[in-house]
């Protein structure tokens, strides 16, 4: 017989292997983590510059934000190997602040947004992840893959023709390299080979240097010069709340995706707390804030095979070294190489099984509808948070509609007594029609409503039962409610007669 290990002796559910110590002791694992961090750092540079442009700030703001957040989350986060840096979603949220009020108000917004995230983590907001259905998660992943691909399209329009063969060669390297060896990450090989080809053959194509000027100094402490007044709070609070909610939603969804890919369990509460501190540190050093980056996380976890905090930390460290020390070298990397990497990431991220005809024919139409709506709203708004919220709302409505039809009322008349047996879960959706299922005019002078096969969940049901009792009493009929479980009886007893509108 297999003995059950006492809970005190079991490994923590949040212990993810390989650990940092295990990776440090293994040359093979450490090499993989180091190279993965380097690949992510290279991929971060053009995106951080692009997001800075979206936010309307200097490129160094996005680059420094990515450095600070990647290093901070490596120590504070709850999901090893996940990459956090400046993102497009946060850039869109803070762009109006930078445009209308300036850099100082933007930094104040980021600091307050980080503080809100810390408070949400303390109050257990991460536990809400359990309410996100699988269909929404699949829609999130598919929408994400589409957005990653769409983001590469501008780099393929109106460019020299040599960009296209470079992208094709890069895709072939990314496809074939893992089949030969996984010691060196395929994205790094593609970037090095394509950069070498561009330099050796003098090919003129867009490069990283053309995306914006790279910084030459270390980030400095930045204290926003804003008045500490209620008026200032009114200006920044709505945007700070947007930073907090959008950042946490994207980060927790990305953490859950990595959990699924690696078959491990991360600490969502710690991740939420870490995101808040990372944003506050980002703001303190003049950064624009950010959250988990799904594209770079997929490069790190899926394409490069990283699994520990080492890769996350080195992504930030390499980013700083690359832009400050090796800026001239980084500047010549062709954008075609990075486009090829991101296209392959988008293909690998998309859940192709979810759109297979065999899957679509087996799934309930409501599940497919939720997935499609999540994808459409996300792609239409270019905002993963809005798409997920829309998907969850639609899933809730469809679920309530489906469950509402499971309630039945069975009538039987014997010995001058009409007995109604109510079966099912009673809440606002299922109890709305409850009053129409009783034959008030045809019932005898005594009615018994058997609640032993049902459960009351909300005040709407109590109000419906009060309305039924009142209708009978107006006809001189005696009504008895029986068979309630302890919770239902206590809940009904506390609210019955005090809701109004039952006459």
């Amino acid at each position: 017989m297999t003995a059950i290990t006492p809970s005190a002796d079991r490994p923590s559910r949040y212990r993810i292997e390989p650990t940092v110590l295990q990776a440090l002791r293994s040359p093979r694992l450490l090499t993989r983590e180091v190279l993965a961090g380097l690949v992510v750092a290279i991929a971060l540079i053009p995106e951080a510059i692009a997001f800075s442009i979206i936010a309307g700030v200097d490129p160094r703001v996005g680059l420094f934000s990515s450095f600070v957040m990647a290093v901070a989350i490596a120590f504070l986060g709850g999901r090893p190997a996940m990459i956090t840096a400046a993102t497009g979603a946060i850039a869109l949220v803070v762009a109006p602040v930078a445009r209308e009020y300036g850099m100082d108000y933007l930094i104040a917004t980021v600091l307050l947004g980080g503080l809100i995230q810390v408070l949400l983590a303390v109050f257990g907001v991460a536990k809400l992840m359990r309410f996100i259905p699988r269909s929404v998660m699949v829609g999130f992943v598919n929408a994400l893959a589409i957005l990653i691909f769409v983001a590469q399209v501008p780099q393929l329009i109106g460019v020299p023709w040599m960009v296209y063969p470079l992208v094709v060669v890069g895709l072939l390297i990314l496809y074939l390299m893992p089949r030969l060896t996984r010691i060196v990450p395929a994205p790094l090989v593609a970037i090095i080979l394509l950069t070498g080809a561009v330099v050796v053959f003098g090919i003129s194509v867009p490069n990283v240097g053309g995306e914006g000027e790279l910084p030459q100094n270390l980030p400095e402490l930045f204290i926003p010069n804003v008045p500490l007044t209620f008026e200032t709070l009114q200006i920044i609070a709505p945007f700070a709340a947007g930073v907090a909610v959008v950042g946490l939603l994207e980060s927790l969804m990305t953490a859950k995706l990595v959990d699924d890919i690696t078959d491990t369990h991360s600490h969502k509460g710690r991740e939420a707390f870490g995101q808040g501190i990372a944003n506050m540190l980002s703001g303190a050093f003049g950064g624009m804030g950010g959250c988990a980056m799904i594209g770079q996380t997929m490069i790190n976890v899926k394409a490069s095979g990283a699994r520990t905090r080492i890769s996350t930390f080195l992504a930030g460290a390499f980013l700083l070294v690359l832009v400050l020390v090796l800026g001239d070298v980084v500047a010549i990397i062709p954008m075609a190489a990075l486009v090829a990497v991101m296209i392959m990431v988008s293909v690998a991220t998309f859940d192709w099984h979810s759109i297979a005809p065999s899957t679509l024919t087996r799934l309930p139409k409501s599940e497919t509808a939720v997935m499609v709506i999540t994808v459409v709203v996300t792609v239409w708004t270019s905002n993963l948070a809005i798409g997920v919220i829309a998907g969850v709302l639609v899933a809730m409505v469809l679920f309530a509609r489906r469950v509402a039809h499971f309630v039945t009322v069975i009538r039987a008349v014997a010995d001058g007594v009409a007995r109604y047996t109510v079966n099912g879960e009673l809440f606002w959706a299922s109890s709305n029609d409850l009053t129409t299922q009783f034959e008030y005019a045809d019932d005898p002078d005594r009615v018994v409503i058997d609640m032993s096969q049902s459960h009351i969940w909300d005040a709407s049901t109590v109000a419906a039962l009060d309305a039924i009792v009142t209708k009978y009493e107006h006809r001189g009929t005696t009504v008895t409610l029986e068979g309630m479980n302890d919770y239902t009886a206590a809940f009904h007893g506390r609210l019955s007669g005090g809701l109004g509108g039952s006459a």
Side-chain angles (χ1 to χ4, degrees), residues 138-206:
V138 172
F140 166 82
V141 170
N142 291 346
L144 183 62
I146 294 171
L147 288 177
I148 291 174
F149 180 84
V150 170
Q152 312 314 310
V153 174
Q155 299 291 343
L156 299 173
I157 298 176
V159 295
W161 70 271
M162 276 301 297
V163 167
Y164 304 111
L166 286 174
V167 171
V168 172
V169 172
L171 290 173
L172 288 174
I173 294 172
L174 292 166
Y175 177 76
L176 297 174
M177 186 70 185
R179 286 161 173 74
L180 299 176
T181 178
R182 291 184 178 272
I183 297 177
V184 181
L188 181 59
V189 174
I191 291 170
I192 292 174
L193 291 181
L194 292 183
T195 302
V198 167
V199 172
V200 171
F201 297 106
I203 303 172
S204 179
V205 292

Side-chain angles (χ1 to χ4, degrees), residues 361-399:
T361 53
R362 289 199 306 269
L363 277 178
K365 292 182 179 179
S366 59
E367 301 259 343
T368 303
V370 169
M371 180 192 72
V372 171
I373 289 171
T374 303
V375 171
V376 170
V377 173
T378 301
V379 174
W380 182 265
T381 62
S382 297
N383 191 313
L384 291 165
I386 293 176
V388 170
I389 292 172
V392 170
L393 290 175
V394 172
M396 288 170 58
V397 172
L398 293 177
F399 174 76

Side-chain angles (χ1 to χ4, degrees), residues 431-474:
S431 62
N432 276 339
D433 297 330
L434 194 61
T435 56
T436 64
Q437 300 190 51
F438 290 80
E439 300 181 18
Y440 305 99
D442 298 331
D443 281 338
D445 293 337
R446 187 173 172 220
V447 171
V448 175
I449 302 177
D450 183 1
M451 304 288 293
S452 61
Q453 304 301 315
S454 61
H455 188 97
I456 296 177
W457 288 105
D458 61 7
S460 296
T461 304
V462 176
L465 289 173
D466 284 353
I468 293 169
V469 172
T470 300
K471 286 178 182 291
Y472 275 119
E473 288 177 347
H474 283 170

Side-chain angles (χ1 to χ4, degrees), residues 55-206:
V57 296
D58 190 274
R60 72 187 64 197
V61 175
L63 289 166
F64 286 159
S65 184
S66 296
F67 157 66
V68 172
M69 296 197 72
V71 171
I73 209 67
F75 293 96
L76 302 170
R79 174 63 258 180
M82 191 168 77
I83 304 299
T84 291
T87 61
I90 299 300
L92 289 171
V93 173
V94 300
V97 183
R99 183 174 58 250
E100 298 177 22
Y101 301 100
M103 188 66 184
D104 289 286
Y105 278 83
L106 182 147
I107 298 303
T109 300
V110 173
L111 290 170
L112 180 59
L115 178 60
I116 293 173
Q117 287 181 325
V118 170
L119 294 175
L120 290 175
V122 171
F123 290 115
V125 69
K127 295 178 181 177
L128 297 177
M129 283 298 296
R130 72 184 68 179
F131 298 113
I132 296 180
R134 181 187 177 279
S135 52
V136 174
M137 189 67 192
V138 172
F140 166 82
V141 170
N142 291 346
L144 183 62
I146 294 171
L147 288 177
I148 291 174
F149 180 84
V150 170
Q152 312 314 310
V153 174
Q155 299 291 343
L156 299 173
I157 298 176
V159 295
W161 70 271
M162 276 301 297
V163 167
Y164 304 111
L166 286 174
V167 171
V168 172
V169 172
L171 290 173
L172 288 174
I173 294 172
L174 292 166
Y175 177 76
L176 297 174
M177 186 70 185
R179 286 161 173 74
L180 299 176
T181 178
R182 291 184 178 272
I183 297 177
V184 181
L188 181 59
V189 174
I191 291 170
I192 292 174
L193 291 181
L194 292 183
T195 302
V198 167
V199 172
V200 171
F201 297 106
I203 303 172
S204 179
V205 292

Side-chain angles (χ1 to χ4, degrees), residues 39 48 51 73 85 94 119 136 200 276 302 313 328 347 352 412 430 447:
V39 172
F51 298 149
I73 209 67
V94 300
L119 294 175
V136 174
V200 171
K302 292 196 77 171
F313 172 79
D328 293 337
V347 172
W352 297 100
S430 61
V447 171

Side-chain angles (χ1 to χ4, degrees), residues 102 111 122 270 341 480 488:
L111 290 170
V122 171
R270 177 178 173 180
V341 171
T480 303
T488 295

